[in-house]
């Protein structure tokens, strides 16, 4: 038991989102996770969640809702967390629609167990990406072609969740496709170099990533 607890604490110590939460809790509002990284700023904070720009954006104004708690998903959560999540998502949709004239495509690569096999970071986070409506429709069409119809049953391990239209989540339980929606978005928007998040922090793309993150719009 002690060994398992130490392993868990060690993993959390290495987790970039846990470090972001710790920095925010200490009163820091803008910071870099590692020297040379894209600078992060907290856009909004609730009791259970933080809203930040994605430092590896697939498109401009790509945002992340991050759990303050090191947990494996945000979709299967308690009512209090769900209320905060719904409020944040509603605000983001309003900003994307009013400021950018775009819809918000929301997705999560999650897990219901501690053995996390979908997300690249083992800390719950939900992506909020501003896209044209026709782009969201194309992503939906390709998703259905590849994954089939979403299922109503809860996931027993990994899952993919997407909201193609406001407030209606679709879940593909036990799916195992890393960076699935990101790759589809990159393909549909012509940003294939950003199909994998690690590439966005490469020498070739980090300058553009910094520019996009610095210019994030989150005010009405």
């Amino acid at each position: 038991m002690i060994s398992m607890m130490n392993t868990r604490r060690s993993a959390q110590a290495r987790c970039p989102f846990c470090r972001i939460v710790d920095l925010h809790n200490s009163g820091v509002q803008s910071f870099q996770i590692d020297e040379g990284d894209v600078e992060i700023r907290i856009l909004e904070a609730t009791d259970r969640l933080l809203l930040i720009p994605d430092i590896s954006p697939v498109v401009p104004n790509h945002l992340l809702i991050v759990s303050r708690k090191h947990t494996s998903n945000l979709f299967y959560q308690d009512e209090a967390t769900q209320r905060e999540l719904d409020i944040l998502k509603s605000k983001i949709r309003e900003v994307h629609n009013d400021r950018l004239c775009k819809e918000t495509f929301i997705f999560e690569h999650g897990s219901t167990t501690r053995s996390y096999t979908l997300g690249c970071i083992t800390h719950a986070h939900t992506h909020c990406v501003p896209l044209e409506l026709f782009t969201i429709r194309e992503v939906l069409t390709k998703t259905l072609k590849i994954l089939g119809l979403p299922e109503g049953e809860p996931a027993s391990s990994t899952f993919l969740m997407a909201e193609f239209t406001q407030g209606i989540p679709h879940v593909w339980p036990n799916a195992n496709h890393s960076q699935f929606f990101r790759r589809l978005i990159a393909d549909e928007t012509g940003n294939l170099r950003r199909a994998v998040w690690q590439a966005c922090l490469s020498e070739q793309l980090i300058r553009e990533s910094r520019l996009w993150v610095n210019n994030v719009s989150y005010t009405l």
Side-chain angles (χ1 to χ4, degrees):
M1 175 66 74
I2 293 175
S3 177
M4 288 179 63
M5 290 177 62
N6 288 340
T7 300
R8 194 175 304 159
R9 287 172 184 153
S10 176
Q12 291 182 18
R14 296 192 301 269
C15 172
F17 288 152
C18 283
R19 293 166 67 186
I20 289 171
V21 172
D22 288 343
L23 285 166
H24 173 71
N25 289 343
S26 68
V28 180
Q29 293 298 314
S30 181
F31 42 80
Q32 293 175 320
I33 294 299
D34 292 304
E35 186 176 354
D37 272 356
V38 176
E39 186 171 293
I40 300 170
R41 69 186 188 279
I42 304 298
L43 300 174
E44 187 161 347
T46 69
D47 290 340
R48 297 166 180 82
L49 305 168
L50 294 178
L51 178 65
I52 62 173
D54 191 318
I55 65 169
S56 305
V58 65
V59 298
N61 289 285
H62 180 172
L63 304 178
L64 293 180
I65 301 173
V66 178
S67 170
R68 284 178 178 262
K69 179 182 177 182
H70 189 95
T71 186
S72 59
N73 77 82
L74 279 174
F75 184 68
Y76 296 104
Q77 281 296 331
D78 59 84
E79 290 184 8
T81 302
Q82 190 60 55
R83 281 195 298 271
E84 290 185 12
L85 185 61
D86 288 343
I87 290 170
L88 266 183
K89 289 192 292 188
S90 178
K91 288 182 179 180
I92 293 166
R93 288 189 183 100
E94 188 176 1
V95 170
H96 284 170
N97 192 264
D98 290 356
R99 292 295 302 273
L100 307 175
C101 298
K102 293 187 178 181
E103 302 298 320
T104 306
F105 176 52
I106 295 172
F107 67 91
E108 179 180 3
H109 295 182
S111 174
T112 59
T113 68
R114 292 193 179 277
S115 56
Y116 203 94
T117 59
L118 270 183
C120 299
I121 297 175
T122 60
H123 185 129
H125 57 287
T126 297
H127 296 258
C128 302
V129 184
L131 296 171
E132 302 288 349
L133 182 58
F134 69 84
T135 302
I136 294 177
R137 287 173 176 164
E138 287 301 312
V139 170
L140 171 59
T141 299
K142 289 187 176 181
T143 299
L144 294 176
K145 184 175 181 180
I146 297 169
L147 299 180
L149 292 173
E151 300 178 33
E153 293 298 318
S156 59
S157 58
T158 58
F159 67 90
L160 291 171
M161 184 283 295
E163 293 184 24
F164 297 96
T165 55
Q166 182 171 339
I168 305 176
H170 303 280
V171 179
W172 288 266
N174 310 317
N176 198 11
H177 297 72
S178 179
Q179 305 198 59
F180 177 80
F181 290 117
R182 184 184 185 99
R183 294 175 191 273
L184 291 184
I185 293 168
D187 183 35
E188 287 301 319
T189 58
N191 289 322
L192 285 174
R193 295 188 303 166
R194 293 183 169 273
V196 179
W197 73 263
Q198 294 91 333
C200 299
L201 300 177
S202 66
E203 185 178 346
Q204 292 78 13
L205 292 180
I206 194 167
R207 181 177 298 178
E208 183 180 57
S209 295
R210 285 197 184 101
L211 179 64
W212 287 6
V213 170
N214 289 338
N215 290 332
V216 160
S217 177
Y218 187 66
T219 54
L220 291 172

